[in-house]
Amino acid sequence: MRILVTGGAGFIGSALVRQLMNHTDHEVLVYDKLTYAGVLSSLEPVVSNPRYSFVRADITDPEAVAQALTDFKPQIIAHLAAESHVDRSIDGPGEFVQTNVVGTYVMLQQALGYYRSLDDQAKAAFRFHHISTDEVFGSLGDEGLFTETTAYDPRSPYSASKASSDHLVRAWGHTYGLPILVTNCSNNYGPYHFPEKLIPLIIIRALNGEPLPVYGDGTNVRDWLFVDDHARALQAVFERGTPGETYNVGGNAERKNIEVVRAICAVLDRERPRADGSPYADQITHVVDRPGHDRRYAIDASKIRRELEWEPTKTFEEGIGLTVRWYLDNQEWWQTIVANSYATERLGKAHARD
Ligand code: NAD
C-alpha cells in the first residue's frame, strides 16, 4: 500500500514510519512542515529506503495537500500532524486551532476531492485515519475508564482542538461518505520523544544534574503506552479496521506522575549512578501545577483487542528501561534539540489563574 503520513517527522509519526519501513512492504510519503517538533534525524534510520519519501509542506495549505495526493496517490492517509503539547496550548492556543482544527479541515476537504476522483476499487481501499488522544474525554475520578462511547469533555486548548478535529473527521464520514477511522490513544513514551514532554524532560534534566519538576502534588494519573505499540495499533487499524469506527488505544499502565519520575530515577541509579553516589530522586522538586490540570486518564482498549487482536507488548517497567537506555545511548539526538530549539525550560504558565 501507499501511505501518506502527516506529521511523520514527529514522535509517533516517525515511530510509525520506521515500523512500516522495517516490517512491511508499504510505501510511505511523509508530509511534514517541520515545526519545532519535527525532527528529521528521527527519520535517519529510513532515509535510504527506496520505499520512503518526504515532502516539506503545511497541512493548512490546500494546494500543497492536493499536489501531494495527486502525485503520491495514497490508499491510506494517516493524519498525525498536530500541535501536541498541552503546556504550549496554554501559552499560545491560536496555533492549535490553526493546525489541529483548520489543518484537519483542509486535509479532509482535499482527501474528499481526491477520493471522489478514484475508481470504485480504489475507493473501496481508501481510508482517512485520524490519530487522536484520550484527552478529548476530559478528566476521570479515581474509578472508571474511557470507552469509545464516552462523551467528549475536553478541558485544555489542546484537547478542545483535538476534539474539534475528531468531530470534523466523523462529520466528513457521515455527511460525505469519506471512509474514516479515528483512534484515541493514551500517553505515549519511548525513543525520539521531544524533550518538552514529561519522560524525556526528566531523563535529560536528571543527567544534567538539574531539578526534576513535578507539577503540583504529582498524583495526576496517566495511562502510558510504549510508542512502538501505538504504531502497531495504528497499522492494525488502517489495515483491518472498519470504516467509520473509532478505536481506543491504551497501555493498561496507569501511573501517577510522581511514580513515573521515581521509576526513571531508579533506572538511572542502576544504569548511570550519580558521581556523588546519592539517588537521582534527590533532584525531585514540586512546582506550581499546570492550570486546569486533568486529574486522571485511563483507557478501556478492549475493542481493539477483541476486534483487531492488538495488545501492548511492553509493560511500563520494560518500556521505561528501554527508553532511559535509549536516551543514554543517543545523547547527540537530544543534545542538538536542547542546544537549538528547546532548552527544557518550564512552559504553560503564561495565563495561570494563580
Ligand atoms: P509531535 O509534536 O511529536 O509531532 C507533530 C508533527 O507534526 C511534527 O513533525 C510537526 O512538524 C508536524 N506538524 C505540525 N504542524 C504541522 C503543519 N501545519 N503541517 C504539517 N506538519 C505539521 O506529536 P506526536 O506526539 O508525535 O503526536 C502525533 C499525533 O498523535 C498528534 O495528532 C497528537 O495529537 C496525537 N497523540 C499524541 C499522543 C502522545 O502521547 N504524544 C497521544 C495520543 C495522540
Side-chain angles (χ1 to χ4, degrees):
M1 290 198 293
R2 283 185 305 281
I3 303 167
L4 187 149
V5 181
T6 72
F11 167 49
I12 300 169
S14 69
L16 175 63
V17 174
R18 291 189 304 272
Q19 171 182 288
L20 293 173
M21 288 297 106
N22 293 335
H23 301 293
T24 75
D25 292 328
H26 299 322
E27 285 177 44
V28 169
L29 171 65
V30 169
Y31 184 105
D32 199 296
K33 180 182 174 181
L34 298 181
T35 66
Y36 80 91
V39 183
L40 270 183
S41 57
S42 305
L43 291 164
E44 228 280 313
V46 304
V47 279
S48 56
N49 192 314
R51 290 182 287 114
Y52 164 83
S53 53
F54 178 87
V55 57
R56 183 173 192 176
D58 192 326
I59 56 165
T60 65
D61 177 347
E63 285 81 29
V65 175
Q67 189 69 51
L69 294 175
T70 318
D71 292 347
F72 185 64
K73 300 184 178 49
Q75 277 99 26
I76 308 290
I77 296 176
H79 176 39
L80 293 96
E83 288 293 332
S84 70
H85 190 35
V86 176
D87 285 341
R88 287 186 195 261
S89 84
I90 295 166
D91 292 335
E95 200 60 45
F96 285 69
V97 174
Q98 191 60 22
T99 299
N100 300 0
V101 185
V102 178
T104 300
Y105 158 73
V106 170
M107 288 301 303
L108 286 164
Q109 276 296 74
Q110 298 310 315
L112 182 61
Y114 166 74
Y115 173 72
R116 285 178 169 160
S117 75
L118 300 174
D119 62 28
D120 286 350
Q121 202 186 350
K123 275 195 174 112
F126 182 80
R127 304 282 184 271
F128 184 101
H129 179 174
H130 185 230
I131 287 75
S132 191
T133 165
D134 61 352
E135 302 191 25
V136 299
F137 298 122
S139 185
L140 288 167
D142 290 342
E143 301 290 318
L145 300 170
F146 298 132
T147 72
E148 286 79 3
T149 55
T150 300
Y152 274 34
D153 184 21
R155 290 144 179 264
S156 73
Y158 165 66
S159 56
S161 70
K162 292 297 289 187
S164 308
S165 55
D166 284 1
H167 289 321
L168 290 174
V169 172
R170 292 198 184 93
W172 262 242
H174 282 289
T175 307
Y176 304 112
L178 190 70
I180 59 105
L181 295 155
V182 177
T183 44
N184 295 93
C185 185
S186 61
N187 277 39
N188 284 215
Y189 69 100
Y192 300 99
H193 205 179
F194 196 84
E196 67 193 355
K197 304 283 168 49
L198 176 68
I199 288 177
L201 184 88
I202 294 298
I203 298 170
I204 291 167
R205 290 185 65 100
L207 291 172
N208 287 341
E210 292 164 342
L212 308 180
V214 173
Y215 290 177
D217 63 4
T219 60
N220 299 62
V221 173
R222 300 293 181 261
D223 170 17
W224 293 94
L225 179 66
F226 192 66
V227 67
D228 292 353
D229 280 330
H230 187 195
R232 285 175 40 256
L234 298 179
Q235 187 186 340
V237 169
F238 65 63
E239 284 183 351
R240 293 181 278 122
T242 307
E245 290 293 316
T246 292
Y247 299 88
N248 278 359
V249 185
N252 210 10
E254 285 184 53
R255 295 289 184 282
K256 296 187 177 106
N257 286 347
I258 187 70
E259 293 172 336
V260 171
V261 174
R262 288 190 184 284
I264 294 167
C265 290
V267 179
L268 283 171
D269 287 338
R270 281 198 306 275
E271 300 277 335
R272 185 68 52 96
R274 271 182 21 168
D276 65 3
S278 55
Y280 281 94
D282 285 358
Q283 290 170 228
I284 293 174
T285 164
H286 290 265
V287 299
V288 64
D289 208 352
R290 167 190 282 168
H293 200 177
D294 286 340
R295 202 68 213 148
R296 174 171 168 260
Y297 305 138
I299 280 272
D300 175 350
S302 53
K303 178 176 172 181
I304 187 170
R305 280 174 197 261
R306 199 175 52 245
E307 295 188 9
L308 303 179
E309 292 169 355
W310 169 89
E311 57 183 5
T313 61
K314 301 265 183 305
T315 65
F316 181 73
E317 285 62 37
E318 289 165 344
I320 206 73
L322 283 171
T323 304
V324 171
R325 280 188 289 279
W326 188 88
Y327 279 83
L328 287 171
D329 293 343
N330 293 275
Q331 303 214 10
E332 201 185 322
W333 182 87
W334 56 263
Q335 276 167 354
T336 308
I337 294 170
V338 171
N340 296 327
S341 57
Y342 172 65
T344 75
E345 67 275 12
R346 174 87 195 252
L347 300 166
K349 281 200 309 184
H351 306 289
R353 274 174 297 208
D354 53 355

